[in-house]
Amino acid sequence: MATPQIKTILYSYWRSSCSWRVRIALNLKEIPYEIKPVSLIKAGGEQHSNEYRELNPMEQVPALHIDAVTLVESLNIMQYLEETRLHRPLLPSDVVKRAKMREICEVIACGVQPLQNLSVLIHVGEEKKDEWAKHWINRWFRAVEKLLGSCAGKYCVGDEITLADCCLIPQVFNARRFHVDLRPFPIILRIDRELERHPAFLAAHPSNQPDCPPEAHK
Amino acid sequence: MATPQIKTILYSYWRSSCSWRVRIALNLKEIPYEIKPVSLIKAGGEQHSNEYRELNPMEQVPALHIDAVTLVESLNIMQYLEETRLHRPLLPSDVVKRAKMREICEVIACGVQPLQNLSVLIHVGEEKKDEWAKHWINRWFRAVEKLLGSCAGKYCVGDEITLADCCLIPQVFNARRFHVDLRPFPIILRIDRELERHPAFLAAHPSNQPDCPPEAHK
């Protein structure tokens, strides 16, 4: 399936948690890729340009150009990588464990993240956005912590890194950005600590992106 | 995989678009199931009861009890049905078509639906909720229409019914509830018309649910 002569390009924004999920998956699977930064804030947002809209009609990052096709939506992209690249499986082989993994992915990707997406926060308004984001992250993290209680091992689902971990870690970073008190979520915190020094996660971290502004470096 | 002695139970609310997606998939795959209605409005919402929270920590419908396990999150549930029941495949066999299908599912499930979910509309407030829902449905339907332009046949992806159709039809119903003008979306409208009389879709329709209040019947 892999055609090495076609370059894999990830359209990414350093702080976008959906881009970050895909960066982790690409790194874990050791797929070489080039990053094309799309600034979500410069000139009202480069994701709204005519050129980028042709790549991603949702006017969001990420988009991945791979195998001569452009794919959008982060869970979909990661699933495609899994189905076309056998190296380092990111889905459990057991069908029920796979479902438990997808529950966590979906709670994060369809539950919490859409509500603290940049375009939604702009719509909510400057003065209310922090309270709004905090409210929803807290609500959904309670559910994630509960789900993890029955399936987590060293990582979200057992002792192997899966797509659920690719979704969780960027969301924990977001929770910290909005000053969510994470102490009520001990399993989430433990998994976050477990993965913070992992090379694939570290290389995907916002502060290690080419478009990370100097003042944001840790 | 199917163990006929274990009853399949769908915890569902008649007007919930996420429950509706799963009802369509169960019907298409001809899996017998029993509906346990969960009222999202009675007594502040039965989904918040202690008993139901044990089944679904997200305090949302649907939840599906099947094969002696309880699963939550609609895309996950449908994917599980697909992986355990070979009858009537709902995913394209081609990997790129499958990705195009998942893009549509994810735009609806992670893009538009979360923003017009009941709990979010309550948080937005009575006076602003209609404008809010309309804004987001319009924005995301423009993207869905664009995606469909390159993959739709008779249905969302080619000429076979897939999970994308299970996601689209309930969302069109929601758009009408919020008085979204659908004329700018001719492909969406055409697919909706194509499927409105399909037995599996018809049986899953809110007005054909045991918990549909008499005054809401068409």
Side-chain angles (χ1 to χ4, degrees), chain A residues 204-216:
Chain A
H205 193 278
S207 66
N208 293 322
Q209 299 313 300
D211 56 334
C212 176
E215 66 275 18

Side-chain angles (χ1 to χ4, degrees), chain A residues 58 72 76 83 103 106 110, chain B residues 72 76 98 106 110 140:
Chain A
M58 268 67 69
V72 300
N76 169 52
E83 291 182 357
E103 284 181 352
E106 213 173 318
C110 308
Chain B
V72 299
N76 170 51
R98 206 150 60 232
E106 212 172 319
C110 308
W140 292 109

Side-chain angles (χ1 to χ4, degrees), chain A residues 10-11 16-22 25 52 55-65 70-81 109-110 113-114 117 163 167, chain B residues 75 98-114 139-140 143-144 147:
Chain A
L10 178 68
Y11 296 84
S16 142
S17 59
C18 301
S19 303
W20 186 355
R21 291 174 195 155
V22 175
Y52 188 72
L55 289 170
N56 187 345
M58 268 67 69
E59 305 176 30
Q60 289 186 332
V61 284
L64 184 72
H65 187 76
T70 302
L71 301 176
V72 300
E73 296 294 316
S74 62
L75 295 185
N76 169 52
I77 293 172
M78 295 192 293
Q79 183 81 42
Y80 176 86
L81 297 177
C110 308
Q113 198 283 328
N117 192 295
L163 297 186
C167 292
Chain B
L75 295 185
R98 206 150 60 232
K100 291 294 148 190
M101 185 211 77
R102 286 200 179 102
E103 283 180 354
I104 295 167
C105 292
E106 212 172 319
V107 171
I108 295 172
C110 308
V112 55
Q113 199 283 328
R139 173 170 166 178
W140 292 109
V144 172
L147 290 174

Side-chain angles (χ1 to χ4, degrees), chain B residues 182-213:
Chain B
L182 291 171
R183 285 170 299 180
F185 313 116
I187 309 176
I188 292 177
L189 273 177
R190 180 177 58 68
I191 297 169
D192 185 61
R193 269 195 307 271
E194 193 68 61
L195 287 167
E196 69 182 349
R197 308 312 301 168
H198 188 292
F201 286 74
L202 207 53
H205 193 279
S207 65
N208 293 322
Q209 298 313 301
D211 54 336
C212 176

Side-chain angles (χ1 to χ4, degrees), chain A residues 104 145 147-159 187 190-191:
Chain A
I104 295 167
E145 183 77 10
L147 290 175
L148 288 171
S150 66
C151 66
K154 192 172 171 189
Y155 306 117
C156 284
V157 183
D159 295 332
I187 309 177
R190 181 178 58 68
I191 297 170

Side-chain angles (χ1 to χ4, degrees), chain A residues 1 21 48 53-54 57-60 69-77 79-80 83-84 91 95-96 98-104 106-107 109-111 113-115 117 119-120 123-124 128 131-132 135-136 139-140 142-144 146-147, chain B residues 1 21 48 53-54 57-60 69-77 79-80 83-84 91 95-96 98-104 106-107 109-111 113-115 117 119-120 123-124 128 131-132 135-136 139-140 142-144 146-147:
Chain A
M1 190 70 210
R21 291 174 195 155
H48 302 305
R53 198 188 296 122
E54 283 306 307
M58 268 67 69
E59 305 176 30
Q60 289 186 332
V69 65
T70 302
L71 301 176
V72 300
E73 296 294 316
S74 62
L75 295 185
N76 169 52
I77 293 172
Q79 183 81 42
Y80 176 86
E83 291 182 357
T84 55
L91 259 66
V95 73
V96 173
R98 206 150 59 231
K100 291 293 150 192
M101 186 210 76
R102 287 201 178 101
E103 284 181 352
I104 295 167
E106 213 173 318
V107 172
C110 308
Q113 198 283 328
L115 294 165
N117 192 295
S119 64
V120 174
H123 205 78
V124 167
K128 287 188 181 162
E131 176 273 331
W132 168 274
H135 171 85
W136 294 110
R139 173 170 166 178
W140 293 108
R142 280 197 296 275
V144 171
K146 184 86 198 272
L147 290 175
Chain B
M1 191 70 210
R21 291 173 197 157
H48 302 306
R53 198 188 297 121
E54 283 307 307
M58 269 66 69
E59 305 175 30
Q60 289 187 331
V69 64
T70 302
L71 302 176
V72 299
E73 296 294 315
S74 62
L75 295 185
N76 170 51
I77 293 172
Q79 183 80 44
Y80 176 87
E83 292 182 358
T84 55
L91 260 66
V95 72
V96 172
R98 206 150 60 232
K100 291 294 148 190
M101 185 211 77
R102 286 200 179 102
E103 283 180 354
I104 295 167
E106 212 172 319
V107 171
C110 308
Q113 199 283 328
L115 294 165
N117 193 294
S119 64
V120 174
H123 204 77
V124 167
K128 286 190 182 163
E131 176 275 330
W132 167 275
H135 171 86
W136 295 110
R139 173 170 166 178
W140 292 109
R142 280 197 295 275
V144 172
K146 184 83 198 273
L147 290 174

